[in-house]
Amino acid sequence: MAISNLLTFTNSLLLVILAILCSNGFPNLFKPQSNQTNIVIYVHDYFTGEDASAIAVGGRKGSESNVLEFGTLIVVDDPVTEGPRIESREIGRAQGMYINSQSDGKGLYMVFSVIFTGGEFRGSSLEIQGSDLFTLKEREFGVVSGTGFFRFVKGFGIMQTENMDLVHLRAVIKLNITVKHY
Ligand SMILES: *[C@@H]1O[C@H](CO)[C@@H](O)[C@H](O)[C@H]1NC(C)=O
Ligand SMILES: *[C@@H]1O[C@H](CO)[C@@H](O)[C@H](O)[C@H]1NC(C)=O
């Protein structure tokens, strides 16, 4: 009798501890997680205007270099929104760089983080790396890994130019990302 009481008590204690862990410390550790996550986000890459978020820092003409010329290095802190319009909810920033890496000027090499500051993935980030042959309608890139909810992930994304103002160099890019959790 005494032993079975003790067992029940121990079991209850374990359940309480588990409940506390799930509710506070480790939300993702215990949440049954599907193997894949799909996210569609929009990145606003603006070279001009009050809200410019991309600058050239080097290239053939130094910081006066054009993004469409081979060798130009761009640093970005681009707003990331839920929908295609800038007015839609901002859920993060795309921070990093890209370089014009194709001799005819029509290809970029990108390396940046998507840092989620709002929405479902707030506090987590994704690491993006790959080429962007931007004259193509759809470009595939790699998702190397991430942090928080995205620890250990690997995946890919499809990039499409949603909107492009070539005169002012203001672009909205759709990123459709699929990652696998390990
Ligand atoms: C996750 O992937 C593993 C191995 O690929 C598989 O055995 C498992 O059933 C998958 N789980 C879900 C929830 O899809
Ligand atoms: C995102 O890409 C997947 C394929 O990887 C596709 O099935 C899905 O329809 C796409 N979603 C959007 C909103 O474009």
Side-chain angles (χ1 to χ4, degrees):
M1 208 47 167
I3 286 184
S4 78
N5 277 346
L6 189 64
L7 282 179
T8 313
F9 175 71
T10 313
N11 281 343
S12 314
L13 198 63
L14 281 177
L15 279 178
V16 168
I17 290 170
L18 201 61
I20 290 170
L21 283 180
C22 288
S23 64
N24 302 318
F26 310 97
N28 300 325
L29 212 57
F30 292 100
K31 193 167 88 183
Q33 172 179 89
S34 81
N35 283 344
Q36 281 194 188
T37 301
N38 176 257
I39 323 163
V40 177
I41 56 176
Y42 294 84
V43 175
H44 302 259
D45 197 36
Y46 300 156
F47 280 86
T48 61
E50 292 275 289
D51 53 354
S53 57
I55 57 166
V57 295
R60 281 183 170 153
K61 302 188 192 95
S63 59
E64 298 300 308
S65 302
N66 191 294
V67 58
L68 302 175
E69 285 168 8
F70 181 55
T72 303
L73 173 64
I74 308 297
V75 174
V76 296
D77 178 5
D78 288 340
V80 174
T81 56
E82 226 165 34
R85 292 166 57 82
I86 189 72
E87 296 81 16
S88 92
R89 183 158 73 130
E90 181 171 316
I91 51 168
R93 310 291 295 188
Q95 294 181 0
M97 61 185 138
Y98 56 87
I99 190 158
N100 191 310
S101 57
Q102 188 163 292
S103 54
D104 67 0
K106 291 184 175 142
L108 308 173
Y109 171 74
M110 328 173 282
V111 54
F112 63 91
S113 305
V114 176
I115 302 166
F116 291 94
T117 54
E120 196 184 339
F121 305 111
R122 184 171 176 209
S124 300
S125 69
L126 282 171
E127 292 305 316
I128 311 278
Q129 194 179 340
S131 68
D132 174 12
L133 307 183
F134 55 80
T135 57
L136 301 176
K137 188 170 178 287
E138 293 193 341
R139 295 88 73 183
E140 188 170 337
F141 57 86
V143 180
V144 178
S145 198
T147 66
F149 179 70
F150 298 113
R151 279 182 191 171
F152 295 117
V153 302
K154 267 186 200 296
F156 72 98
I158 307 285
M159 186 177 265
Q160 277 176 289
T161 307
E162 182 77 16
N163 201 350
M164 178 73 193
D165 174 351
L166 257 180
V167 176
H168 301 105
L169 291 175
R170 289 168 67 88
V172 181
I173 315 288
K174 175 184 173 188
L175 272 58
N176 179 349
I177 294 170
T178 302
V179 293
K180 204 165 164 183
H181 298 260
Y182 291 92

